[in-house]
Every structure is written in C-alpha cells, then in structure tokens.
Amino acid sequence: MSNATPDTPRPPAGRAGMKKELPERFRAYRHVWVFIELERGQVHSVSFELLGEGRKLADKLGVQLAGVVLGPPEEATQNAVAQAFAYGADLVYFVEAPLLADYRNEPFTKAMTDLVDTYKPEILLLGATTLGRDLAGSVATTLLTGLTADCTELDVDADGSLAATRPTFGGSLLCTIYTLNYRPQMATVRPRVMPMPQRADRAIGRVIVHKLSLAEDEIVTKILGFLPDSQSGTANLAYADVVVAGGLGLGGAENLQLVKSLARAIGAEFGCSRPLVQKGWMPADRQIGQTGKTIRPKLYIAAGISGAIQHRVGVEAADLIVAINTDPNAPIFDFAHLGIVTDAVRFLPALTEAFTRRLSPHSRDKLAS
C-alpha cells in the first residue's frame, strides 16, 4: 500500500524525469558530423542534403560541421572530399584505404567507430539508404549509443540535445526522440526529405587523415564481383519534377491506367500510396510515403489518396500539391495547395485530355521548369 498523499510530489513523467546531465566521459564530445556516402565513385546526394541540415544544427550549437569520407585511394575519393567542402563542411575526416573500395560492413564500421572514439562528435548523421542504414545500425551498436532512423525533422533543443522526429505507430503519429545520456547522438534521414543546399566553390579546408587499422585477412566478407541491378533507374520518383499518384479512391487496379496516362501526357513519373502496394496493384518501387519514396517535385497530383501521416511526410515538401478526392474531409486537403472534391476516375481522363490538347511534346518536357 502506498503512503503517498495528494500533496506528495511525484517524479515528472517522460523526458522531464530523465537525467539530463551527461556522464563525464561524454562531455568532451562536440561538433556535428555527416557521413559522405561514396559508392563506386559517386557521392549519394543525400550526403549533401544532410550537410545542409547539419549546417543548421552546427550553427545553433556554435560548433563545426564536419564531413566523413571513407574510400579507396582514387581520384573519386579526393573529389568527395572537395564536394563536402563545396556543400558547407568546415573540415573533413578522411580514411583512405584499398579495403574501402567496395562497401563492406566490417571495414566501414571499424573506420567510423575509430574516428568517433578518437575525435568525439556529439551528432552523427547518415543517409537512410541501403548502405547508410546498414552502417548506422552497426556503428550505433558498436558504440552503445542511440540511433533514430528515418527522421523527417532534426532540431536542437534548448539544452543542446538533438531532437529527432520520425513517424511511429505505422505512420499514424509523429514522435520526437532524444538520446540524452549517450554520445554521439545518431540519426538517419532518407533522401529528399531535406532540401538540397546551395553549392559554392570553396577551397579545400582542413582535412584530418586517419589510418584504418584493419587487414584484409581480418574481414570475413569478400567481394567476388559486382552485378548492377537490372531494375535500377526504372522508377525515378525521388528526383522527378512532376509526379502523379493514385490511391484506394481509384476503386480498382484497372483504374491505375488513368494515372499512368496522365503522367505520360505531362512527362511525369507515376506512383501510388501504400495500400495499393499491399494489394499488389503496383510494385514497391512506386510507393510514395514514409515507408516508400520521399519526393520533392515541383508538382504533385494525388488522385484518390486520403493523405495519412505516413503519406504526408513523403510528399509535403512538394512545391505544389493538387489533391483529387471524393471526401471533402480527407486529411490530404489539410496540406494540399489545391483541392478538387470529385471522383478521380471521372476527372483524370478529362484532365489528361485537356493537358494533351494544350501541351506540345516539347512543352511537356518543360512543364515543371
């Protein structure tokens, strides 16, 4: 039986009840790091998007923004260092070794964790790509720190903690997660969630070179060859300027042809909401939303899509959102720039015909320019 009375103070619930003071061993951790994802000579654009976001965090904290480049001794690796500075890095941590020619979890995890243990960043950001997700989970586990995956927003709290926001409960809610008592605070962000910063030609600044203390015979995984994905590039939703998508409001799989016809008429990519992939009406690489592709087009036309949170976070960065739905209370109308309350199955053919009449083949390619 409890002896508490109504006047007995209770410990605050949630984050307020947690210990905010960092353990002594973490107090020297400073600066914001961004992993520059380099694969087969190309830097993934999400790295530049994260440099733009990292710049904001570093400025709020009054610390430096650093890029982390891991790669083989090739010209492309040196170019990645230069690009990190061009997109805003103050300095670059650089590990160059033949073992890093192709991504393998063991050498990349070893390189990154050695850097963190030596130079002690307070925040480490990685792209939520196939490579980035694999590396982030391994690094966080090795360092015994927290990792917030697939973030849609990053900020710094009043006490200097990283506030990482992501959807939860199947995309029905947004929650903000803190790593209060461990460092570094780690987060991954999917491509196209954050805006691309302006590139500026800058001289290469301070580069801190670190040696990889690992031999090939210590690595279990071996590279036998490289087979490119024959399906890669078939759906370019994330980088399309115009996107047309359909949802359950279309009524049946056969009506997705209306979405594809409109997309073809205006030179757009086409996609769908999650339920259509779950029903097998479209392949997963056409899914738009938190569990699919995040897009930032100049024009997004959503036909028969209700606009649940998990879909909203994948499209709300579009410059112009046009929603077509029979339900005037559909959530998508809360964030669409233009809403049309009508049956998409009847409206899309008329819209396609109107675009076809007004747009020449040349102007279709420039619709979003």
Side-chain angles (χ1 to χ4, degrees):
M1 181 174 178
S2 172
N3 293 322
T5 67
D7 296 328
T8 302
R10 298 177 179 271
R15 180 171 181 258
M18 299 179 67
K19 181 181 177 183
K20 294 185 181 180
E21 187 174 347
L22 271 179
E24 184 67 35
R25 66 183 185 280
F26 292 132
R27 292 181 187 175
Y29 283 63
R30 286 174 58 79
H31 309 304
V32 177
W33 287 14
V34 172
F35 171 61
I36 308 301
E37 183 175 323
L38 175 67
E39 190 169 26
R40 307 200 73 79
Q42 298 294 320
V43 176
H44 199 296
S45 60
V46 71
S47 304
F48 305 140
E49 295 163 8
L50 287 177
L51 283 170
E53 198 65 19
R55 177 79 275 160
K56 300 173 189 175
L57 300 177
D59 289 347
K60 287 183 178 180
L61 291 167
V63 299
Q64 290 185 310
L65 172 65
V68 179
V69 176
L70 314 177
E74 297 175 356
E75 183 180 355
T77 311
Q78 298 291 337
N79 289 339
V81 173
Q83 289 185 76
F85 285 108
Y87 282 96
D90 297 314
L91 72 158
V92 167
Y93 292 94
F94 185 39
V95 181
E96 187 179 52
L99 300 183
L100 302 173
D102 292 286
Y103 176 73
R104 289 178 288 176
N105 182 273
E106 293 160 282
F108 273 71
T109 298
K110 174 65 172 172
M112 182 67 81
T113 54
D114 282 356
L115 282 172
V116 170
D117 286 338
T118 303
Y119 301 103
K120 300 177 170 39
E122 57 187 309
I123 294 174
L124 173 57
L125 307 177
L126 303 90
T129 61
T130 302
L131 188 160
R133 285 176 171 142
D134 184 73
L135 179 61
S138 180
V139 169
T141 302
T142 303
L143 296 173
L144 302 177
T145 190
L147 167 64
T148 307
D150 291 346
C151 299
T152 57
E153 183 180 349
L154 299 173
D155 203 352
V156 174
D157 208 356
D159 61 3
S161 298
L162 177 66
T165 301
R166 71 177 309 277
T168 187
F169 291 108
S172 61
L173 294 172
L174 292 173
C175 66
T176 300
I177 299 173
Y178 298 85
T179 303
L180 296 178
N181 299 93
Y182 299 92
R183 293 295 184 268
Q185 303 160 97
M186 292 182 59
T188 63
V189 179
R190 300 192 326 157
R192 303 292 280 171
V193 168
M194 305 301 180
M196 179 68 71
Q198 191 72 32
R199 187 185 190 281
D201 290 328
R202 299 170 57 204
I204 293 179
R206 184 184 176 204
V207 177
I208 299 175
V209 179
H210 191 84
K211 184 178 180 181
L212 177 61
S213 57
L214 190 69
E216 178 63 46
D217 58 10
E218 298 177 79
I219 304 173
V220 174
T221 309
K222 306 299 178 185
I223 303 294
L224 302 179
F226 174 73
L227 297 175
D229 182 0
S230 61
Q231 299 299 315
S232 65
T234 56
N236 194 30
L237 283 168
Y239 298 95
D241 284 333
V242 184
V243 176
V244 183
L248 280 177
L250 292 176
E254 67 279 3
N255 290 327
L256 284 171
Q257 189 58 46
L258 303 176
V259 170
K260 296 176 183 178
S261 296
L262 176 57
R264 187 163 50 248
I266 61 178
E269 281 281 355
F270 64 89
C272 67
S273 59
R274 181 170 65 181
L276 271 60
V277 172
Q278 293 172 332
K279 285 179 173 289
W281 294 2
M282 267 201 188
D285 64 349
R286 293 287 177 181
Q287 181 182 329
I288 299 170
Q290 172 65 15
T291 54
K293 295 289 193 302
T294 299
I295 61 175
R296 300 181 70 89
K298 295 178 181 178
L299 171 63
Y300 174 53
I301 300 175
I305 295 176
S306 64
I309 287 179
Q310 78 87 21
H311 187 79
R312 175 175 183 164
V313 299
V315 305
E316 62 184 348
D319 292 347
L320 177 63
I321 300 175
V322 178
I324 307 163
N325 203 296
T326 55
D327 180 6
N329 298 314
I332 197 167
F333 290 130
D334 293 336
F335 59 92
H337 302 95
L338 176 63
I340 304 171
V341 181
T342 189
D343 183 359
V345 175
R346 296 172 53 197
F347 184 76
L348 287 180
L351 184 61
T352 302
E353 182 181 352
F355 272 124
T356 302
R357 286 200 310 265
R358 295 183 65 89
L359 294 176
S360 67
H362 177 69
S363 60
R364 284 176 211 161
D365 294 336
K366 295 190 172 183
L367 179 64
S369 62

